[in-house]
Amino acid sequence: MIKNILNLGDSSVYCDFGSEVNRETNKQVINYFNFLRKMKIEGVINLTPSYNKLIISFDLNIINFDRLKNLVQKIKIDQSESKKGKKIDIPICTDEEFSLDIKRLEEKFNLSAQKILDKIFEKEYFCYMTGFIAGMPFFGDLDKDMRCNRLETPRLKVPKGSIGITEQFANIYTEESPGGWNIIGKTPLEIFDRNNQEDPALINPGDEIKFKPITK
C-alpha cells in the first residue's frame, strides 16, 4: 500500500510504496497505475511507475495537489486480483561483437563467459518498470553472485538492442543511447515500436521474460 503521498514540484504527486525493491511492492505500484489509468481523472496528464514509486503528473489549471491526493487516498484496491503480465522469450546473441563487457565480467566473477551466460539464461526475470529512454525495460532480479557495478566510464553510444546488467537488474536498450551497464549481448527484437500508436512497447511492467540464446 502507499506509505506516503508528497508534492513533486508544483504539478506532480509522488506516491511512495516504501523502500523495498521486490515483486510484491512493485505489483502494488502496477495495480495503482492500472487503476488510475482506467479512472481517467480529469487533469491527470501522465502516470510514471517505477520499482516502488508512482508519479502522477497533472495540469494545475484543472486539478491541484490536495484534490488529487484526496482522490488517491480514497482508492481501495484488492491486491489479490492483480493482473498477471505476459510471459515473453527474448532472443539474445552473445557473439563477441555484441557481448561488449563479458571479459570484464569474467574477471569480476572469476567465471568463464559460458558459465556467466548460463546463469543468466536459466532465470526468469520480472519487468519492474520502463523508462530512461522510451520503452526501455528494467528487469529483476539477478542472482546475488551475478551482481556488478556500472562501468566507471559510461559509453557514449550503446547499440540499440543491447542487453545489459548492473546491480540486481538487467535491461534492454530500445534505442542507441549513452549508458554504463555491462553489455552481455544483443536482441534483434523491436522492443519499442514508435510507429505502433496503440501498443508501442513489447514489454511492460509486470511481464516476465526469459533470455533465449541464438546464433548470429
Side-chain angles (χ1 to χ4, degrees), residues 106-166:
E106 284 182 307
E107 294 179 7
K108 160 71 177 173
F109 299 134
N110 195 26
L111 291 171
S112 69
Q114 191 57 55
K115 285 188 176 180
I116 292 169
L117 295 170
D118 286 345
K119 281 177 170 285
I120 290 171
F121 291 148
E122 69 187 15
K123 280 189 67 70
E124 186 173 73
Y125 298 90
F126 179 82
C127 180
Y128 281 103
M129 60 174 281
T130 60
F132 177 59
I133 52 179
M136 181 186 227
F138 289 78
F139 310 116
D141 295 279
L142 288 167
D143 290 335
K144 289 185 178 179
D145 61 353
M146 286 289 101
R147 297 180 185 183
C148 53
N149 294 327
R150 295 169 186 264
L151 303 180
E152 291 184 6
T153 304
R155 291 184 173 87
L156 294 178
K157 292 182 179 180
V158 178
K160 177 181 177 179
S162 294
I163 294 168
I165 62 172
T166 195

Side-chain angles (χ1 to χ4, degrees), residues 91-107:
I92 170 176
C93 182
T94 58
D95 283 16
E96 188 173 348
E97 65 183 285
F98 304 130
S99 189
L100 306 180
D101 294 303
I102 196 66
K103 294 192 181 301
R104 176 176 180 269
L105 295 175
E106 284 182 307
E107 294 179 7

Side-chain angles (χ1 to χ4, degrees), residues 1 7 9 13 28 63 81 95 98 125 152 184 189 207:
M1 300 298 292
N7 265 326
V13 171
Q28 292 177 25
I63 195 169
E81 296 182 358
D95 283 16
F98 304 130
Y125 298 90
E152 291 184 6
I184 60 166
L189 288 186
D207 289 344

Side-chain angles (χ1 to χ4, degrees), residues 66-81:
D66 289 333
R67 185 175 160 219
L68 186 52
K69 178 180 178 180
N70 186 51
L71 286 171
V72 173
Q73 286 176 326
K74 289 180 179 178
I75 293 173
K76 303 296 180 186
I77 295 177
D78 183 354
Q79 298 293 344
S80 66
E81 296 182 358

Side-chain angles (χ1 to χ4, degrees), residues 26-37:
N26 186 251
K27 283 180 178 178
Q28 292 177 25
V29 176
I30 293 169
N31 285 342
Y32 271 85
F33 167 73
N34 288 331
F35 190 90
L36 286 164
R37 187 165 54 175

